[in-house]
Structure formats: C-alpha cells, structure tokens
Amino acid sequence: MTTIYRSLLFLLTVGLLAMSAAKPTRVVFFGDSITQAGVNPGGYIDRLKKSMPADQYELIGAGIGGNKIYDLFLRMDDDVLAKQPDVVVIWVGVNDVWHKASMGTGTDPDKFIKFYDAVIKKLKAANIRVILCTPAAIGEKTDMTNQQDGDLNQYSQFIRDIAKRHDLALVDLRKAFLEYDLKNNTENKDRGVLTTDRVHLNDAGNQFVAEQMQKVLTAAK
Amino acid sequence: MTTIYRSLLFLLTVGLLAMSAAKPTRVVFFGDSITQAGVNPGGYIDRLKKSMPADQYELIGAGIGGNKIYDLFLRMDDDVLAKQPDVVVIWVGVNDVWHKASMGTGTDPDKFIKFYDAVIKKLKAANIRVILCTPAAIGEKTDMTNQQDGDLNQYSQFIRDIAKRHDLALVDLRKAFLEYDLKNNTENKDRGVLTTDRVHLNDAGNQFVAEQMQKVLTAAK
Amino acid sequence: MTTIYRSLLFLLTVGLLAMSAAKPTRVVFFGDSITQAGVNPGGYIDRLKKSMPADQYELIGAGIGGNKIYDLFLRMDDDVLAKQPDVVVIWVGVNDVWHKASMGTGTDPDKFIKFYDAVIKKLKAANIRVILCTPAAIGEKTDMTNQQDGDLNQYSQFIRDIAKRHDLALVDLRKAFLEYDLKNNTENKDRGVLTTDRVHLNDAGNQFVAEQMQKVLTAAK
Amino acid sequence: MTTIYRSLLFLLTVGLLAMSAAKPTRVVFFGDSITQAGVNPGGYIDRLKKSMPADQYELIGAGIGGNKIYDLFLRMDDDVLAKQPDVVVIWVGVNDVWHKASMGTGTDPDKFIKFYDAVIKKLKAANIRVILCTPAAIGEKTDMTNQQDGDLNQYSQFIRDIAKRHDLALVDLRKAFLEYDLKNNTENKDRGVLTTDRVHLNDAGNQFVAEQMQKVLTAAK
C-alpha cells in the first residue's frame, strides 16, 4: 500500500468517525399527557432542547394524554420503534392508578408489570437504551394523604424493581417530587408547587423534571 | 416407473390421506373463569366432549379466572399457539366490564377492540380458525335492569362488529341468553335460570352453552 | 248582628278567599346540575315560568351540581323546607349511578331507596306535595348500549316503586326520553338530540322536560 | 323536720346514690364488620368484657358488615339511641374508602365529614359521651404502598379533626397500627400481623384494639 493510499484511508476513517460523532443521540420521550405537554414552549422537553447540545441530542416527544402502560405497548411500533431512537425514556403510571377511580379502567398491578416488561423487551431487542421514570404525583400533599398516594407508591416500587431487574437507569421522580415538596410545600397544599392541578407540571415542575432527566440522560451507562 | 411401484405410491398416498383424515380437529376454548369451569364434570366443554365425536374433535380448555381480553393477549403464545390448535373459540368480556365496578380495572372500550384485534391477528397468522362469543350475562333479569346491562350490550356489539369485520363465526351468547331468559325467567330473577350467581353457569347454562357452541363448531365455515 | 256588619264580614271573607286564591303555589325543583341549569335562560324552569301563569305558580330552582340523593337529604332543611313550598319536584339519580364509574362514590341501591324515603318522609311531614322524576339519560343511544343503561334502568325502577308505595305523582323522564329518542334519534347517537353531552339538556331537552313537568304539575292530585 | 324523718331522707339519698353507682356505664360499639366480629369469642369487645369490671361497664356491640358512615347515620335511632347508652364508640371508615375500588360506592370526603358530624350531633343531643376511632388498615405494609394508604390517611385525618373540633376522645388506631407494624412487621407483609386479611383482626389485633380502647374508655373525660 502506498503512503498516499494509506493517507487517504486514514482521512476517510477520520471522516466517517466525525460523521458518526456528528450524528446526535436520538431520544424519544414515551409517555402520557405530561409528556405530551412536555414539547410545548416551557415544557420539560422544550427546556431540555435548550439545555442540551443540539448537535449531540435529538429530543422527540411521544406522549399522548390518558395513556397507560398498555397504550404504550399498543402504539410502540408506530410511535417509537419506527423513529429508530438510541434512547427511550418511559414515563408512565399516573393513569394506570388514577383511572381506577376516575373511569374504572386502571391497570391491575400484575398486568402493569407484565406490559412494562413487554415494552422493555421489545426496546432492548432493538438495541435501544431504556430509561425508566416513576410517576411523580397525583396531589402534592406531603403527609401521604393524597387519595392515590398508597397506590402510586406501589406502582413506583414496581418500576424501581423493574429497573433493577433489567439493569436500567431510573429517574425516580416520585421520590424527587416528595423531597422537593417536603422542602418547598410547607403549607401541605395539594397543587401549585410543581403542578398546576395535582398532576400536570407548572413552570417549576417542568424545570425540575428537565433537570432530573438531564442528569440521567448525560450520565454514562 | 413400474406398475407395482405406482400401486405402492397410490396406497401410500391413500394411507396418508386416511391418517390425515383421522387426525381430529383440535379446538382450544380460550377464556375466563366460565371456561375454566367448563372442563369440570358437567361443564360445557365436558358436555361437548360427550356430544361430539372424539375421533373428530379434540377439545381443550384454556380458561383462567378473572381474565380480560389483554390477559388472553399476554398468555396466548404459551396457552394457545403452543398447542397448535385448528380452531380457537374466544369467550371473554365479562371481566372487562365487571372489573370496572369491582376492582377499578376494567378495560377501556377502544382498548378492548385493539387487544381483541391483536389476538385475532396472531391467530389468523397461524392459520387458525377463530370463533368469537359475546359475554352472556352479569345478571339474568330480562328488563335491562342488571347493573352492567348497558356496558355488556356495548361490548357484545363490539364483538359482533369485530366478527363481521374479520369474517369470523360468532356464538352470540348474549343474545341467546336473553332470549332463553325471556321465555324461562318469567319472575325476572337475577340468577338461577342459566347461572348460579348471575355470571357462572349452572347445569342448564352449561348444557345451553354446549348446544350453542356445537352448532357453530360443526357448521362449515 | 246588623246588616252593615254582616256585609262587612261577607266582604272580608271574600277578600281573604281572594287573597288566598291569589297566593301562587310555590314549587321547588330539587335536584342536581340539570336542575341547577334549569333556571338559566332557556332552561326548563325558565320555560315553565313563561308557560305557567305567574299568579298561580311560583317556581324556584334548588339544584346543585353533582348532587346525589343523600346530598338532597343533607341540605333539604336549608334549601327546601326553609322556603315553605307547596310542592317539591325531586329529580335526582344520574350522579348516584354515574359517580360509581367517575369517582368511585356512587350510591348503593339499598341506600338510594333509604335516603329517598327519608327525604319524602320529611316533606310529607311538612304537608308538602311531592312529585318524583326518574333520571333521564347518561347517553341517548336507543339500543341499550349506553354504559350506565342497566343501572339507570334499575334506579328508575326504584323511583317508580317509591312513587307507587308513597302514592306520589311521577314524571317518568327515563321512559319519555327513550320514547322520544326512539322516534327522533334514528342514527343511534349518544348525544345531541335532547342533551348536549349525554346528560345535560340542550334546547329541545329543556323544552321537552318543561312539557313533561307541566303536565304533572297542573294535573289534579 | 323530725330526726326520724331526716334519717329516712338520708337513707333514701344513700340508697339512690348506691343504685346510681351500681348502674354500670353502658357502652355501645358502633361500627362495621370489624366491630360485628368484635363480640365473637376472642373478639375485641369480648376481650374488653373480660378485662373491664362487669359491674361498672356494660359493653354492647352494634357493628354491621359493610357499613359506612351514612349507614351508621341511617340506623342510629334503632341500633344506638334506643339502647340509651352512656358512651358510644364510633369506629368506621374502612368501607367509606374501600368501596370506592370494590363497589364504586365509597363516600365522598365532604359527605363523610357531614354525616360524621350529623351522627355526633344526635349523640351529643342525647347527652351521650362519644369516642372516635380512626380506621386501622387496609393492608399492613409499613412503607405506605398499600393501595388505599393515601385515602385512609386522609379519612383518618378527617376524624382527628372532627374529634378536635367537637372536643371528643380519640382512639387513633391508624397511628397505633402503623407503629405496631413498624416494630413487628419487619418483612413488610400486607396481612398476618394484626389482621387476617389486611382488614379484619386476628387474635393479636383483637387484643391490641381491646387495649387501645380500654385506655380511652377508662380515662376521665
């Protein structure tokens, strides 16, 4: 091989690596109405787009209002796999619990785990890095008197166990929200600190979630 | 090819056809607690085993108590496809409706249809003949005052529409039960005519279901 | 007694009778959000005020959104008895049924009857004429596939039985709505014929209810 | 007044006081299935009968399975006031919360408070000493992951507030059970420490409740 040929090969390799390095990590945020609103101006995904380098991260919202874990399962081919993401952040659980009381169509504990596992299995089979989140809140009262606190704690624990079992990164928003509210919600209000309506994020909530997410997204895994 | 050789080949072919003809049609009954009890002595599957020729039909129960349509979806690989059936009879829906009130974990109408379609799609892909049934009853009162009558009617209509859309045979047990009760339940009792407890079959109910099923199972399709 | 004195007594008596005749019958409409909206311009109570002679009938709305039968019981002293009505029209039941699915706080069948009886007992003890109404609709589909049809039929039957037991006039709106919809809702829509949203009255609904009410209000009892 | 007459008067007074002292304090335990079972051998009321002097305390069970606060209200004339008790111990709340999920007929928070107030008002009007209890548990897990923990905490707080507002003694069984389970349920089991089935008392539970009740019953108020 001549020196010139070697040099060309070297340049080509460097170029390919550079191109490869230039391709940003594609992240799909897969969730419910909280994530649907996350792409709005000031939403947590919108904030992440501003705080994370655009040449390194392509952030895509895939949230639909009212979604439970099995809605994610039913639409994951079209809404997630078709986008060929590198990373998927799953944030679900509020409706699985809430719809028990508000519609009679919440998700059974064992079925929640089974469908969650099925979603992860399909993502892993496509070599996608998966990050899990616990459902943050249905009510911000800090003395465990929000109606769904017990059930949300239960489903959050399911997700922590699933993360551990599959060795996946976790954004423990349930824990983080409670700690934040214990400090900042001294009047034991049920909304208005991180949420507008006990569930959906206000400005502080979107900022807080963006920060929690960014920490885990940028951590080596 | 010599004549003898030809004759041997002919006999072999006939023999294979005969063996093929001798292999009974394998039917899996896929459902909830009503089907789980159907294999018990006197149950509707047990009755079908006696009334249908065993050399023509192999009848297998695959019912599990409390199952909703998405439970069927989650376990269909292990409990149905692994058995390589020729026919699958799906009878589900009572819990999808009932668990709204009794557990808060019933099935949303649109999700009921989506999972039902997903189950049928997988069965058809395996070249399995699929027969659908409507959920019979939660209460036998004939004046449409059983608590879940409206919702059961709705989900039954979903199943009729699905059968039509996929061109599948239907055992319309909801319709058949109402007609039977209109004749035989003149006191407007909520149980005791075809059911023991408003839902699960008594002897008359098991016999009635067996008859309705047999008609459709033996019909050419 | 002199003639003049007799004449004065006669005139006084006539005057008192005239005054008595002039005092209009006071009717309180006691119910939920449907009745709360009934006093709005175009609402059924507003229409009754226009169609019934004001010198003969004083019509007062006492509806509060979300009310169930035991809400009526809890507030009847303040909101009804304090107004010393001659007639009370009770129209309740939609939330007793609906809140089972939407909040988990519907009313048990036996408790519905007990509180209904308790309300009637207190009204009768105050010599008030009581008129009952059945809950009209949660969904206008005419093929009994509205989710709550069975339960609404059941609670309507309770009210018919209560009316019979207490010998009270009944405005059977459930029956009347179904008959109207069977004629006018040929597309089997769930709203838009007599209701805006499956429950609350549109213009046609307010007019229809006003007519049904007026018939019973003006009937001799 | 003669000496003899004085002496007779004195004896009569002493006799009346003696009779008065001899009349034991009549206590009615007013509640749900937990109290209904409390009179059974080994039940908490049965244990109290053995541990408290029979000449000083007459203990009467008035529990009915499935009762919510408004069931107590509906039957208090017959089942409590008619017995002319000196003390009434109210222990209710589990079904007000539980029936939301299991029947769709739980009790609204504001209605729970209103009916509780109405029960207390009638008891106080009859000069009866009232003792309140918080609902102990629906599940004994100590990490606040029992499904109804949030709601039970909320309703327990309502009862603590009601006790304070009416200046009534309180047996805070919810707090006591949690403290006991934190010490004795180190495996975080959902039953088997103080309950048989997450709700109803086992032997240890009956003994524990008896001890908590006795402390408050014998305290001067």
Side-chain angles (χ1 to χ4, degrees), chain C residues 32 66-71 92-100 105-108 112 151 155, chain D residues 104-105:
Chain C
D32 53 31
N67 268 203
K68 297 179 287 228
I69 184 64
Y70 54 71
D71 294 283
V92 79
V94 159
N95 294 314
D96 297 86
V97 166
W98 200 5
H99 287 194
K100 292 185 189 181
T105 57
T107 309
D108 300 302
F112 183 80
D151 220 17
Y155 283 62
Chain D
T105 56

Side-chain angles (χ1 to χ4, degrees), chain D residues 62-81:
Chain D
I64 291 187
N67 268 204
K68 297 179 289 230
I69 184 64
Y70 53 72
D71 294 282
L72 299 193
F73 177 79
L74 283 167
R75 68 185 181 87
M76 70 183 295
D77 289 341
D78 294 341
D79 292 1
V80 177
L81 295 174

Side-chain angles (χ1 to χ4, degrees), chain B residues 175-186:
Chain B
K175 186 164 169 280
F177 267 54
L178 183 57
E179 287 169 359
Y180 185 98
D181 264 305
L182 280 167
K183 271 189 216 152
N184 297 284
N185 180 12
T186 49

Side-chain angles (χ1 to χ4, degrees), chain C residues 29-40 43-45 61-68 71-72 75 91-96 98-99 137 196-201 206:
Chain C
F29 295 87
F30 196 26
D32 53 31
S33 59
I34 305 172
T35 294
Q36 188 172 20
V39 296
N40 294 342
Y44 78 89
I45 299 170
I64 291 187
N67 268 203
K68 297 179 287 228
D71 294 283
L72 300 194
R75 67 185 181 87
W91 188 15
V92 79
V94 159
N95 294 314
D96 297 86
W98 200 5
H99 287 194
T196 57
D197 61 355
R198 304 191 306 136
V199 171
H200 297 93
L201 306 175
N206 274 299

Side-chain angles (χ1 to χ4, degrees), chain C residues 36-188:
Chain C
Q36 188 172 20
V39 296
N40 294 342
Y44 78 89
I45 299 170
D46 181 58
R47 287 169 192 262
L48 284 170
K49 283 179 182 170
K50 283 162 187 157
S51 63
M52 296 175 77
D55 59 339
Q56 287 177 40
Y57 292 95
E58 182 191 2
L59 307 181
I60 300 171
I64 291 187
N67 268 203
K68 297 179 287 228
I69 184 64
Y70 54 71
D71 294 283
L72 300 194
F73 177 79
L74 283 167
R75 67 185 181 87
M76 69 183 296
D77 288 342
D78 294 341
D79 291 2
V80 177
L81 294 175
K83 292 172 183 164
Q84 298 186 289
D86 303 294
V87 180
V88 170
V89 179
I90 305 172
W91 188 15
V92 79
V94 159
N95 294 314
D96 297 86
V97 166
W98 200 5
H99 287 194
K100 292 185 189 181
S102 68
M103 308 185 72
T105 57
T107 309
D108 300 302
D110 57 332
K111 254 60 67 70
F112 183 80
I113 295 168
K114 282 184 183 175
F115 276 112
Y116 215 123
D117 276 338
V119 169
I120 291 172
K121 196 180 164 190
K122 285 186 84 165
L123 293 173
K124 283 186 136 179
N127 283 315
I128 297 167
R129 184 188 162 202
V130 186
I131 297 173
L132 310 189
C133 305
T134 50
I138 306 175
E140 298 191 55
K141 288 192 291 176
T142 58
D143 57 352
M144 284 293 149
T145 62
N146 303 293
Q147 183 180 340
Q148 276 84 9
D149 272 344
D151 220 17
L152 266 189
N153 288 342
Q154 184 186 190
Y155 283 62
S156 295
Q157 193 53 47
F158 293 155
I159 293 170
R160 291 182 199 116
D161 294 344
I162 292 167
K164 191 168 288 180
R165 185 153 37 82
H166 289 277
D167 191 28
L168 300 173
L170 176 75
V171 189
D172 197 342
L173 292 169
R174 176 103 187 121
K175 186 163 168 281
F177 267 54
L178 182 58
E179 287 169 0
Y180 185 98
D181 264 304
L182 280 167
K183 270 188 217 152
N184 298 284
N185 181 11
T186 48
E187 292 172 53
N188 201 33

